[in-house]
Amino acid sequence: FQRLRTGLGRSSNRLGDRVSSLFTKKKLDASSLQDLEDILIEADLGVETAMAITDRLSEGRYAKGIEAEELQEVLAEEVERVLAPLAQPLETKKPANGPFVLLVVGVNGTGKTTTIGKIAAKEAAAGKTLVLAAGDTFRAAAVEQLKIWGERSGAKVVAGAPKADAAGLVYEAIDAARDADLLIIDTAGRLQNKAELMAELTKIVRVIKRRLPDAPHAVILTLDATTGQNALNQVDIFRREVGVTGLVMTKLDGTARGGILVAIAAKHELPIHFIGVGEGIDDLAPFAAGDFARAIAG
Ligand code: GDP
Protein backbone atom coordinates (compact mmCIF):
# COMPACT_ATOMS: atom_id res chain seq x y z
CA PHE A 1 0.00 0.00 0.00
CA GLN A 2 2.83 2.38 0.86
CA ARG A 3 4.45 1.79 -2.51
CA LEU A 4 1.15 2.32 -4.27
CA ARG A 5 0.68 5.54 -2.37
CA THR A 6 4.18 6.76 -3.19
CA GLY A 7 3.64 5.84 -6.82
CA LEU A 8 0.28 7.48 -7.22
CA GLY A 9 1.46 10.45 -5.21
CA ARG A 10 4.71 10.92 -7.08
CA SER A 11 3.61 13.36 -9.72
CA SER A 12 3.39 17.07 -9.06
CA ASN A 13 -0.07 16.68 -10.50
CA ARG A 14 -1.15 14.71 -7.50
CA LEU A 15 -4.90 14.66 -7.60
CA GLY A 16 -5.49 15.24 -3.90
CA ASP A 17 -3.25 18.32 -3.86
CA ARG A 18 -4.81 19.84 -6.93
CA VAL A 19 -8.25 19.27 -5.59
CA SER A 20 -7.55 20.68 -2.16
CA SER A 21 -5.77 23.75 -3.50
CA LEU A 22 -8.82 24.44 -5.62
CA PHE A 23 -11.13 24.32 -2.65
CA THR A 24 -9.20 26.01 0.07
CA LYS A 25 -9.37 29.08 -2.12
CA LYS A 26 -12.91 28.99 -3.31
CA LYS A 27 -16.39 28.26 -2.22
CA LEU A 28 -18.21 25.35 -3.76
CA ASP A 29 -20.15 27.09 -6.49
CA ALA A 30 -21.03 26.07 -10.01
CA SER A 31 -17.76 27.33 -11.43
CA SER A 32 -15.48 25.66 -8.89
CA LEU A 33 -17.41 22.42 -9.28
CA GLN A 34 -16.83 22.67 -13.01
CA ASP A 35 -13.10 23.15 -12.33
CA LEU A 36 -13.16 20.11 -10.11
CA GLU A 37 -14.89 18.06 -12.76
CA ASP A 38 -12.17 19.07 -15.24
CA ILE A 39 -9.43 18.02 -12.83
CA LEU A 40 -11.08 14.65 -12.25
CA ILE A 41 -11.51 14.04 -15.97
CA GLU A 42 -7.88 15.07 -16.58
CA ALA A 43 -6.91 12.53 -13.93
CA ASP A 44 -8.54 9.91 -16.20
CA LEU A 45 -11.30 9.01 -13.74
CA GLY A 46 -13.90 9.16 -16.48
CA VAL A 47 -16.85 11.47 -17.00
CA GLU A 48 -19.31 9.27 -15.13
CA THR A 49 -17.35 9.12 -11.88
CA ALA A 50 -16.28 12.76 -12.16
CA MET A 51 -19.95 13.74 -12.40
CA ALA A 52 -20.98 11.48 -9.53
CA ILE A 53 -18.40 13.22 -7.34
CA THR A 54 -19.39 16.76 -8.29
CA ASP A 55 -23.08 15.88 -7.97
CA ARG A 56 -22.47 14.76 -4.44
CA LEU A 57 -20.56 17.94 -3.66
CA SER A 58 -23.31 20.14 -5.03
CA GLU A 59 -25.60 18.89 -2.25
CA GLY A 60 -26.76 21.71 0.00
CA ARG A 61 -24.71 20.68 3.00
CA TYR A 62 -21.48 21.67 1.26
CA ALA A 63 -22.78 25.07 0.12
CA LYS A 64 -20.74 26.92 2.76
CA GLY A 65 -17.53 25.20 1.68
CA ILE A 66 -15.71 22.03 2.58
CA GLU A 67 -12.50 21.10 4.39
CA ALA A 68 -9.77 19.55 2.27
CA GLU A 69 -9.88 16.29 4.25
CA GLU A 70 -13.61 16.01 3.85
CA LEU A 71 -13.31 16.57 0.14
CA GLN A 72 -10.64 13.90 -0.16
CA GLU A 73 -12.90 11.57 1.77
CA VAL A 74 -15.79 12.18 -0.66
CA LEU A 75 -13.42 11.51 -3.57
CA ALA A 76 -12.13 8.33 -2.01
CA GLU A 77 -15.62 7.09 -1.20
CA GLU A 78 -16.89 7.60 -4.73
CA VAL A 79 -13.83 5.93 -6.26
CA GLU A 80 -14.15 3.04 -3.82
CA ARG A 81 -17.84 2.65 -4.65
CA VAL A 82 -16.97 2.06 -8.31
CA LEU A 83 -14.05 -0.27 -7.62
CA ALA A 84 -15.15 -2.29 -4.60
CA PRO A 85 -17.45 -4.76 -6.41
CA LEU A 86 -14.63 -5.50 -8.89
CA ALA A 87 -11.91 -6.31 -6.37
CA GLN A 88 -11.96 -10.07 -6.83
CA PRO A 89 -9.13 -12.50 -6.14
CA LEU A 90 -7.98 -14.73 -8.96
CA GLU A 91 -9.34 -18.21 -8.29
CA THR A 92 -7.24 -20.96 -9.86
CA LYS A 93 -8.95 -24.12 -8.64
CA LYS A 94 -7.90 -27.10 -10.72
CA PRO A 95 -10.80 -28.73 -12.59
CA ALA A 96 -11.14 -32.53 -12.72
CA ASN A 97 -10.14 -32.97 -16.37
CA GLY A 98 -6.80 -31.17 -16.46
CA PRO A 99 -4.98 -28.06 -15.25
CA PHE A 100 -6.56 -24.70 -14.61
CA VAL A 101 -5.61 -22.76 -17.74
CA LEU A 102 -4.75 -19.10 -17.32
CA LEU A 103 -4.13 -17.13 -20.50
CA VAL A 104 -2.35 -13.81 -20.09
CA VAL A 105 -2.77 -11.21 -22.81
CA GLY A 106 -1.75 -7.57 -23.23
CA VAL A 107 0.30 -5.15 -25.26
CA ASN A 108 4.10 -5.64 -25.26
CA GLY A 109 5.75 -3.98 -22.33
CA THR A 110 2.65 -3.84 -20.15
CA GLY A 111 4.11 -6.48 -17.84
CA LYS A 112 2.67 -9.82 -18.97
CA THR A 113 5.79 -11.89 -18.43
CA THR A 114 6.65 -10.22 -15.13
CA THR A 115 3.09 -10.66 -13.86
CA ILE A 116 3.14 -14.34 -14.86
CA GLY A 117 6.40 -14.74 -12.93
CA LYS A 118 4.88 -13.13 -9.85
CA ILE A 119 1.65 -15.16 -10.04
CA ALA A 120 3.68 -18.35 -10.56
CA ALA A 121 5.70 -17.60 -7.43
CA LYS A 122 2.54 -17.10 -5.37
CA GLU A 123 0.93 -20.27 -6.67
CA ALA A 124 4.09 -22.33 -6.20
CA ALA A 125 4.36 -21.04 -2.65
CA ALA A 126 0.78 -22.24 -2.12
CA GLY A 127 1.92 -25.73 -3.11
CA LYS A 128 0.61 -25.85 -6.68
CA THR A 129 2.44 -27.56 -9.53
CA LEU A 130 2.80 -25.27 -12.52
CA VAL A 131 3.69 -25.18 -16.17
CA LEU A 132 4.44 -21.91 -17.94
CA ALA A 133 4.05 -21.70 -21.73
CA ALA A 134 6.30 -19.17 -23.48
CA GLY A 135 3.67 -18.25 -26.07
CA ASP A 136 5.34 -14.98 -27.01
CA THR A 137 7.44 -16.87 -29.54
CA PHE A 138 8.07 -13.68 -31.48
CA ARG A 139 10.47 -12.17 -28.97
CA ALA A 140 13.45 -14.25 -27.88
CA ALA A 141 13.88 -12.01 -24.84
CA ALA A 142 10.37 -12.81 -23.64
CA VAL A 143 11.13 -16.53 -23.79
CA GLU A 144 14.39 -16.09 -21.87
CA GLN A 145 12.69 -13.93 -19.28
CA LEU A 146 9.94 -16.50 -18.73
CA LYS A 147 12.56 -19.23 -18.27
CA ILE A 148 14.20 -17.17 -15.54
CA TRP A 149 10.87 -16.62 -13.79
CA GLY A 150 10.15 -20.33 -14.13
CA GLU A 151 13.41 -21.19 -12.37
CA ARG A 152 12.61 -18.81 -9.54
CA SER A 153 9.32 -20.54 -8.78
CA GLY A 154 10.34 -24.06 -9.77
CA ALA A 155 7.78 -24.12 -12.59
CA LYS A 156 8.36 -26.09 -15.74
CA VAL A 157 8.63 -23.83 -18.81
CA VAL A 158 7.56 -25.01 -22.25
CA ALA A 159 9.27 -22.97 -24.97
CA GLY A 160 9.66 -23.45 -28.71
CA ALA A 161 12.17 -22.47 -31.33
CA PRO A 162 12.35 -18.74 -32.12
CA LYS A 163 9.34 -17.66 -34.22
CA ALA A 164 7.66 -21.04 -33.66
CA ASP A 165 3.91 -21.21 -34.13
CA ALA A 166 2.43 -20.02 -30.84
CA ALA A 167 -0.70 -22.16 -31.08
CA GLY A 168 1.44 -25.26 -31.71
CA LEU A 169 3.47 -24.44 -28.64
CA VAL A 170 0.33 -24.06 -26.55
CA TYR A 171 -0.81 -27.46 -27.77
CA GLU A 172 2.45 -28.96 -26.50
CA ALA A 173 2.16 -27.08 -23.23
CA ILE A 174 -1.31 -28.49 -22.55
CA ASP A 175 0.16 -31.98 -22.95
CA ALA A 176 3.04 -31.16 -20.65
CA ALA A 177 0.63 -29.76 -18.06
CA ARG A 178 -1.75 -32.72 -18.03
CA ASP A 179 -0.95 -33.57 -14.42
CA ALA A 180 -0.19 -30.03 -13.25
CA ASP A 181 -2.53 -27.86 -11.19
CA LEU A 182 -2.05 -24.77 -13.27
CA LEU A 183 -0.93 -23.85 -16.78
CA ILE A 184 -0.12 -20.18 -17.37
CA ILE A 185 0.26 -19.10 -21.00
CA ASP A 186 2.26 -16.02 -22.00
CA THR A 187 1.33 -14.46 -25.34
CA ALA A 188 2.61 -11.92 -27.80
CA GLY A 189 1.43 -8.31 -27.71
CA ARG A 190 2.39 -6.69 -31.00
CA LEU A 191 -0.48 -4.27 -31.22
CA GLN A 192 1.19 -2.50 -34.14
CA ASN A 193 0.10 -5.52 -36.16
CA LYS A 194 -3.30 -5.88 -34.61
CA ALA A 195 -5.01 -8.17 -37.13
CA GLU A 196 -2.17 -10.67 -37.06
CA LEU A 197 -1.92 -10.60 -33.28
CA MET A 198 -5.64 -11.12 -32.78
CA ALA A 199 -5.63 -13.99 -35.30
CA GLU A 200 -2.80 -15.58 -33.32
CA LEU A 201 -4.61 -15.16 -30.01
CA THR A 202 -7.92 -16.53 -31.29
CA LYS A 203 -6.07 -19.49 -32.73
CA ILE A 204 -4.49 -20.12 -29.32
CA VAL A 205 -7.93 -20.03 -27.69
CA ARG A 206 -9.25 -22.46 -30.32
CA VAL A 207 -6.40 -24.88 -29.70
CA ILE A 208 -6.99 -24.74 -25.95
CA LYS A 209 -10.72 -25.37 -26.35
CA ARG A 210 -10.13 -28.31 -28.66
CA ARG A 211 -8.23 -30.07 -25.85
CA LEU A 212 -10.10 -28.67 -22.84
CA PRO A 213 -13.54 -27.35 -23.78
CA ASP A 214 -13.98 -25.35 -20.55
CA ALA A 215 -10.61 -23.63 -20.87
CA PRO A 216 -9.15 -21.09 -20.79
CA HIS A 217 -10.59 -20.76 -17.31
CA ALA A 218 -9.31 -17.21 -16.99
CA VAL A 219 -8.01 -14.63 -19.47
CA ILE A 220 -6.13 -11.85 -17.75
CA LEU A 221 -5.31 -8.59 -19.48
CA THR A 222 -2.31 -6.65 -18.17
CA LEU A 223 -2.53 -2.89 -18.34
CA ASP A 224 0.36 -0.48 -17.78
CA ALA A 225 -0.82 2.31 -15.49
CA THR A 226 1.63 4.79 -17.04
CA THR A 227 -0.18 4.68 -20.38
CA GLY A 228 -3.24 6.42 -18.95
CA GLN A 229 -6.11 6.83 -21.39
CA ASN A 230 -4.66 4.32 -23.86
CA ALA A 231 -5.41 1.49 -21.44
CA LEU A 232 -9.11 2.02 -22.07
CA ASN A 233 -8.66 1.27 -25.78
CA GLN A 234 -6.65 -1.82 -24.94
CA VAL A 235 -9.47 -3.20 -22.82
CA ASP A 236 -11.92 -2.54 -25.66
CA ILE A 237 -9.79 -4.35 -28.23
CA PHE A 238 -8.74 -7.40 -26.21
CA ARG A 239 -12.18 -7.83 -24.74
CA ARG A 240 -13.82 -7.75 -28.14
CA GLU A 241 -11.28 -9.96 -29.90
CA VAL A 242 -10.30 -12.59 -27.33
CA GLY A 243 -12.56 -12.14 -24.35
CA VAL A 244 -11.08 -11.02 -21.04
CA THR A 245 -12.19 -12.28 -17.64
CA GLY A 246 -10.07 -10.07 -15.40
CA LEU A 247 -7.48 -7.31 -15.17
CA VAL A 248 -4.10 -6.65 -13.64
CA MET A 249 -2.80 -3.09 -13.58
CA THR A 250 1.00 -2.88 -13.46
CA LYS A 251 3.54 -0.15 -12.68
CA LEU A 252 1.41 1.63 -10.12
CA ASP A 253 4.62 2.22 -8.20
CA GLY A 254 5.82 4.71 -10.76
CA THR A 255 2.91 6.85 -11.84
CA ALA A 256 0.13 9.14 -10.78
CA ARG A 257 -2.00 7.99 -13.67
CA GLY A 258 -3.81 5.12 -12.00
CA GLY A 259 -7.08 7.03 -12.28
CA ILE A 260 -7.75 5.29 -15.58
CA LEU A 261 -8.59 2.14 -13.63
CA VAL A 262 -11.69 3.92 -12.33
CA ALA A 263 -12.85 4.78 -15.85
CA ILE A 264 -12.18 1.21 -16.99
CA ALA A 265 -14.07 -0.18 -14.01
CA ALA A 266 -17.06 2.07 -14.64
CA LYS A 267 -17.21 1.13 -18.30
CA HIS A 268 -16.32 -2.57 -18.30
CA GLU A 269 -17.08 -3.92 -14.84
CA LEU A 270 -14.31 -6.50 -15.20
CA PRO A 271 -12.84 -8.07 -12.06
CA ILE A 272 -9.53 -6.52 -11.00
CA HIS A 273 -7.31 -9.20 -9.52
CA PHE A 274 -3.93 -7.67 -8.80
CA ILE A 275 -1.84 -4.55 -9.03
CA GLY A 276 1.87 -4.48 -9.85
CA VAL A 277 3.94 -2.23 -7.61
CA GLY A 278 7.49 -3.04 -8.70
CA GLU A 279 9.69 -5.38 -10.70
CA GLY A 280 10.41 -7.89 -7.94
CA ILE A 281 8.82 -11.26 -7.37
CA ASP A 282 6.77 -10.04 -4.39
CA ASP A 283 5.62 -6.83 -6.03
CA LEU A 284 2.16 -8.05 -6.93
CA ALA A 285 -0.62 -7.18 -4.50
CA PRO A 286 -4.22 -8.34 -4.46
CA PHE A 287 -6.34 -5.43 -5.55
CA ALA A 288 -7.86 -3.63 -2.56
CA ALA A 289 -10.40 -1.00 -3.59
CA GLY A 290 -10.25 1.03 -0.38
CA ASP A 291 -6.45 1.34 -0.37
CA PHE A 292 -6.43 2.24 -4.04
CA ALA A 293 -9.16 4.85 -3.63
CA ARG A 294 -7.35 6.46 -0.72
CA ALA A 295 -4.05 6.49 -2.61
CA ILE A 296 -5.75 8.18 -5.56
CA ALA A 297 -7.56 10.76 -3.48
CA GLY A 298 -4.70 11.38 -1.05
P1 GDP B 1 5.53 -7.86 -21.45
O1 GDP B 1 6.17 -7.41 -22.73
O2 GDP B 1 4.08 -7.50 -21.42
O3 GDP B 1 5.76 -9.30 -21.14
O4 GDP B 1 6.17 -6.98 -20.28
P2 GDP B 1 7.35 -7.37 -19.28
O5 GDP B 1 6.85 -8.32 -18.24
O6 GDP B 1 8.56 -7.75 -20.05
O7 GDP B 1 7.57 -5.97 -18.55
C1 GDP B 1 8.07 -4.84 -19.21
C2 GDP B 1 8.91 -4.02 -18.23
O8 GDP B 1 8.09 -3.50 -17.19
C3 GDP B 1 9.98 -4.82 -17.53
O9 GDP B 1 11.15 -4.02 -17.44
C4 GDP B 1 9.42 -5.10 -16.15
O10 GDP B 1 10.41 -5.26 -15.18
C5 GDP B 1 8.60 -3.85 -15.92
N1 GDP B 1 7.47 -4.05 -14.99
C6 GDP B 1 6.49 -4.99 -15.05
N2 GDP B 1 5.61 -4.83 -14.04
C7 GDP B 1 6.03 -3.77 -13.31
C8 GDP B 1 5.54 -3.07 -12.12
O11 GDP B 1 4.51 -3.40 -11.52
N3 GDP B 1 6.27 -1.99 -11.72
C9 GDP B 1 7.40 -1.58 -12.35
N4 GDP B 1 8.03 -0.51 -11.88
N5 GDP B 1 7.88 -2.18 -13.45
C10 GDP B 1 7.21 -3.26 -13.92
Side-chain angles (χ1 to χ4, degrees):
F1 174 55
Q2 202 45 51
R3 217 149 347 142
L4 169 67
R5 181 154 225 155
T6 321
L8 286 172
R10 183 167 290 170
S11 148
S12 55
N13 264 351
R14 209 176 131 133
L15 182 59
D17 291 348
R18 289 187 66 190
V19 165
S20 24
S21 69
L22 178 69
F23 281 96
T24 43
K25 291 184 201 117
K26 292 188 205 166
K27 284 212 308 189
L28 281 177
D29 55 20
S31 123
S32 60
L33 284 171
Q34 186 57 56
D35 289 347
L36 173 64
E37 211 165 278
D38 293 345
I39 291 175
L40 297 174
I41 291 168
E42 261 172 53
D44 295 327
L45 259 58
V47 175
E48 218 176 294
T49 306
M51 280 167 56
I53 292 166
T54 47
D55 281 353
R56 220 181 115 179
L57 292 168
S58 56
E59 286 166 12
R61 69 185 156 124
Y62 300 120
K64 287 212 174 73
I66 184 170
E67 297 291 329
E69 291 82 42
E70 201 180 2
L71 177 60
Q72 281 176 0
E73 193 48 39
V74 171
L75 260 175
E77 277 174 23
E78 288 300 322
V79 168
E80 187 175 356
R81 207 162 53 84
V82 176
L83 295 174
L86 304 174
Q88 292 168 31
L90 175 68
E91 302 284 355
T92 56
K93 193 170 178 305
K94 175 183 162 52
N97 61 343
F100 184 97
V101 179
L102 167 60
L103 186 66
V104 180
V105 299
V107 174
N108 275 342
T110 53
K112 280 186 301 293
T113 310
T114 308
T115 301
I116 290 171
K118 292 169 177 175
I119 292 176
K122 278 189 198 295
E123 296 284 348
K128 300 250 178 101
T129 51
L130 289 122
V131 173
L132 311 181
D136 185 357
T137 52
F138 207 76
R139 291 193 312 138
V143 176
E144 286 315 307
Q145 207 191 334
L146 196 71
K147 284 183 180 163
I148 294 169
W149 283 109
E151 272 166 31
R152 284 180 193 152
S153 53
K156 179 173 176 179
V157 177
V158 177
K163 312 273 188 290
D165 172 47
L169 179 102
V170 168
Y171 190 88
E172 269 175 51
I174 293 173
D175 253 354
R178 217 174 7 226
D179 299 321
D181 295 313
L182 177 61
L183 168 63
I184 310 181
I185 303 169
D186 196 4
T187 60
R190 314 177 298 277
L191 207 54
Q192 58 278 22
N193 196 338
K194 199 177 97 190
E196 190 184 282
L197 172 64
M198 294 307 160
E200 181 174 316
L201 293 176
T202 41
K203 190 169 160 200
I204 288 175
V205 172
R206 264 204 325 273
V207 164
I208 297 171
K209 285 203 183 304
R210 174 92 39 115
R211 303 296 301 279
L212 298 166
D214 299 338
H217 305 97
V219 182
I220 286 184
L221 173 66
T222 54
L223 297 169
D224 176 340
T226 63
T227 57
Q229 218 37 54
N230 211 334
L232 203 50
N233 304 332
Q234 292 170 13
V235 182
D236 284 338
I237 294 170
F238 281 93
R239 191 169 196 194
R240 188 177 63 231
E241 303 281 342
V242 262
V244 169
T245 62
L247 304 174
V248 174
M249 179 157 270
T250 64
K251 308 192 195 178
L252 277 163
D253 51 309
T255 180
R257 307 215 58 191
I260 192 63
L261 197 55
V262 182
I264 291 169
K267 179 167 179 201
H268 289 280
E269 297 187 6
L270 279 169
I272 306 164
H273 300 308
F274 293 109
I275 55 169
V277 289
E279 297 182 90
I281 200 159
D282 295 322
D283 296 329
L284 188 73
F287 179 69
D291 288 352
F292 187 88
R294 260 147 207 94
I296 288 252

